[in-house]
DNA sequence: TTGCTCCTCACGTCACGTGAGGTGGC
DNA sequence: TTGCTCCTCACGTCACGTGAGGTGGC
């Protein structure tokens, strides 16, 4: 049969069949020496169907060729392909999550700004941490604080924030973790209002150092005076979530 | 800052930054006329972070550029992107299903072969169909037959098959649908053994006509004599599932 | 002088889509 | 002569990776 007939049967284009020919994946039974016309036979038809079947699994054409030509372990190749597709799906799921987080934040793209943060009711806990344990320490303190406030006061924290030194050296550093409440309760205190240079970051945790860097650079560049403390405010704890990284200013 | 410093902060390569420069997506604050060295400032740093944030959603660089440069509707763009990612995920899910079906079948790739199909216990039902209603008619008959055998005989069919004329003209055509049983029951009959040219097809429904075509071509090419009937045997009804398309032979 | 960072081309990736320009049989 | 199918280049896609080959400041 001609290339057009084969293409019609397979519901693919003649260009695709010429591409397969060029790759050596599906060579015509015979090529007219004069006109260059390709002639395909029954064996090529069957092979073409097999190729389309394997293409439906997302395998590359070169892999398909190897599987059809040698007696390579097709089961093994399909299992491998399965794992790779799962990775790709996970990547796309992460993109969906990133989109949702951005939409939920009102599409806030990282940009540093000076803001006046109003006073707030908070429950405070203090701890210390090695520099490279910082994020784990904060996470644990937040979980503990969340449980405590719910058990002891029946109140759920709206969000959490952490404060630690702006410049981190060796050795343990003091960390303050706050749970933010809507209303004052027995154990809550008031955190006074302050001026901050703030970066709202929507994205996964790996972007937090970047936000910190943006904030710090902006402080320097605008000639502001930092108070020596960093504030990270976790607006939601989902990953990727919204995190504010801020540097309190001395006004 | 230099291109290397900016790259380090963003955890991307200098090549990527040069690429952005080339696209006009992120142009340095200043380029040394003599050495060609790029110099980036605070504004470029912030813009670069915004670019990376939007890249996490899977948007293309050209779209990102448009969103950052004009006041295009970013919310609309993100919603659109969300839908496109869902489509891509669905495609990959279909690939996973294709892999699973192939693995479940023992990696049977379409190839026509002459087989002796043994006798079987079946429950038979007859109906007619317009040619372009064929697949729907078969599906309905299978559902009905499945319900009937379970209700009236408490037996579940192992699989189903359908028989219809090999050459389909205009007008209604006779269709025979069988439910295959493990054991004989009150209403079951025996379908005698027969010789078929069979193609086992693993894939979605759209490939069934292809399998039919493979089988028919093989019959012709091998000089066999067809009985005038096509048999489709649905080994599992999931989609994509395993379907045998066979043409009974006159021996 | 040796590293290090920086520079500019320019090819390669993957599976084709899409013209451009031309030919042979009904 | 007009359609139709067929042919061969060859560029374009997308976001860079990866050399090749070379330069300026410590």
């Amino acid at each position: 049969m001609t290339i057009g007939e084969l293409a019609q049967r397979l519901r693919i284009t003649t260009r695709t069949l010429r591409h397969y020919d060029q790759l050596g994946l599906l060579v015509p039974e015979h090529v007219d020496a004069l006109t260059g016309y390709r002639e395909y036979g029954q064996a090529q038809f069957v092979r073409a169907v097999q190729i389309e079947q394997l293409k439906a699994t997302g395998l590359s054409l070169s892999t398909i060729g190897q599987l059809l030509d040698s007696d390579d372990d097709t089961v093994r190749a399909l299992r491998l392909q399965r794992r790779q597709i799962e990775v790709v799906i996970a990547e796309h799921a992460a993109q969906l999550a990133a989109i949702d987080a951005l939409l939920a934040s009102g599409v806030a793209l990282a940009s540093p700004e000076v803001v006046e943060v109003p006073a707030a009711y908070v429950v405070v806990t203090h701890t210390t941490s090695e520099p490279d344990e910082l994020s784990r320490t904060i996470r644990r303190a937040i979980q503990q604080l969340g449980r405590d406030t719910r058990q002891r006061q029946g109140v759920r924290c709206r969000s959490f924030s952490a404060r630690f030194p702006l410049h981190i050296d060796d050795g343990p550093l003091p960390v303050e973790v706050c749970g933010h409440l809507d209303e004052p309760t027995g154990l809550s205190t008031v955190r006074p209002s302050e001026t901050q240079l703030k970066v709202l970051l929507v994205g996964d945790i790996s972007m937090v150092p970047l936000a910190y860097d943006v904030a710090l650079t902006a402080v320097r560049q605008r000639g502001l005076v930092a108070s020596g403390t960093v504030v990270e405010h976790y607006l939601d704890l989902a990953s990727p979530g919204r995190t504010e990284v801020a540097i309190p200013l001395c006004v």
Side-chain angles (χ1 to χ4, degrees), chain A residues 118-157:
Chain A
Y121 303 113
V122 293
V123 185
V124 186
T125 181
H126 292 269
T127 181
T128 59
S129 172
E130 292 297 321
D132 50 0
E133 292 280 308
L134 186 57
S135 88
R136 200 185 309 175
T137 304
I138 291 173
R139 237 181 308 145
R140 262 197 225 132
I142 285 176
Q143 283 171 4
Q144 190 61 45
L145 196 60
R147 276 196 295 272
D148 280 5
T149 48
R150 246 178 305 167
Q151 276 181 11
R152 291 210 271 171
Q153 311 186 34
V155 175
R156 182 182 285 253
C157 292

